[in-house]
Amino acid sequence: MRRFILLLFITCPLFAGSVIPILSLKSGKIYHDAQVVSNRPTVITVRCREGLFQVKKDDLPDELAKVYPVDKEAALREEKERTESIQKSIDAERGREEKARSEMEKRKAELDKKLVKSGCRIVSFSSVGPGQVIIEFKNETDAPQRISPTDILCRATDGRVFDGGWVVTTKDGPMLNTEPYPLPGNAIVRMPTSFFQEKGIDVSEIYWKQ
């Protein structure tokens, strides 16, 4: 049978679609009832009883390699196109990453603009009751700063905005104080409860007045 196949290769030209009863590759693999369904510069695709496979042309028997020779020029063009396609994908991904980083930096700058004033950052706040929060400030400079509650705004969950002051405890009970508060250099301070003008609001955001 193998002798018959070799004669077939020599005497009968093969084309895509021809059925090869036994295809024995140089690597030792054997396919049965093989049919070449596509021809690329360095590989052919073979459909056979064993399945669908890509076969390198360098692995074809000599007789079949003459029918499907390696196209070196086309292979170089294909490799160049593949490399260019990969590079385009890399460039596109890099562009997306740079855009995402730029947008993140922009959002951070916008957030810093709202949360940092004269080197003093609003680090966090926690609600302790309707319209009342404790704000944590950080002085990011070496110099002492004075922070005024009238420079701080509160946004309620319904979108309304209020300003307010510090709540101080006196012998007559809690009172609203709007005097600036001294904040030492490089210090983090949890301020007394900040009270905003309207009771009963749900606080969603605290930021500096611009």
Side-chain angles (χ1 to χ4, degrees), residues 41 71-81:
D71 188 337
K72 293 183 179 180
E73 290 186 2
L76 289 173
R77 288 196 301 270
E78 191 175 73
E79 179 62 22
K80 181 181 177 182
E81 291 171 358

Side-chain angles (χ1 to χ4, degrees), residues 171-183:
K171 63 180 180 178
D172 298 321
M175 293 186 62
L176 192 64
N177 179 13
T178 58
E179 292 297 319
Y181 185 90
L183 184 58

Side-chain angles (χ1 to χ4, degrees), residues 7-192:
L7 290 173
L8 177 65
F9 290 160
I10 295 170
T11 60
C12 180
L14 297 175
F15 304 96
S18 300
V19 176
I20 306 169
I22 298 177
L23 174 58
S24 180
L25 304 179
K26 291 179 180 179
S27 60
K29 293 181 180 178
I30 297 176
Y31 299 131
H32 298 85
D33 296 331
Q35 192 174 21
V36 179
V37 294
S38 74
N39 178 21
R40 298 188 63 82
T42 59
V43 297
I44 59 173
T45 302
V46 173
R47 181 184 291 115
C48 56
R49 273 191 276 164
E50 290 79 9
L52 190 68
F53 303 93
Q54 271 198 342
V55 179
K56 291 183 178 180
K57 290 183 176 180
D58 291 340
D59 198 21
L60 295 174
D62 294 339
E63 293 78 8
L64 192 58
K66 294 176 183 178
V67 181
Y68 296 102
V70 173
D71 188 337
K72 293 183 179 180
E73 290 186 2
L76 289 173
R77 288 196 301 270
E78 191 175 73
E79 179 62 22
K80 181 181 177 182
E81 291 171 358
R82 189 182 71 85
T83 302
E84 290 175 349
S85 178
I86 292 173
Q87 188 60 49
K88 285 181 180 179
S89 298
I90 293 173
D91 292 343
E93 181 62 26
R94 185 179 293 119
R96 287 190 291 268
E97 290 177 355
E98 289 177 354
K99 182 179 179 182
R101 183 165 53 252
S102 176
E103 290 176 351
M104 186 179 297
E105 290 173 354
K106 182 180 179 181
R107 287 195 297 269
K108 183 179 182 300
E110 291 173 350
L111 188 61
D112 282 350
K113 186 177 180 181
K114 296 179 72 174
L115 297 183
V116 181
K117 185 172 185 177
S118 299
C120 292
R121 179 184 295 275
I122 297 174
V123 178
S124 64
F125 72 92
S126 56
S127 179
V128 294
Q132 299 184 20
V133 294
I134 294 178
I135 304 175
E136 184 175 284
F137 296 93
K138 180 180 181 181
N139 184 356
E140 297 181 334
T141 71
D142 295 330
Q145 302 289 336
R146 294 175 66 82
I147 51 178
S148 173
T150 57
D151 288 337
I152 302 168
L153 295 178
C154 156
R155 185 181 301 278
T157 53
D158 61 9
R160 292 179 298 163
V161 176
F162 305 91
D163 59 10
W166 318 128
V167 169
V168 293
T169 302
T170 69
K171 63 180 180 178
D172 298 321
M175 293 186 62
L176 192 64
N177 179 13
T178 58
E179 292 297 319
Y181 185 90
L183 184 58
N186 297 305
I188 296 178
V189 176
R190 287 177 62 83
M191 291 295 294

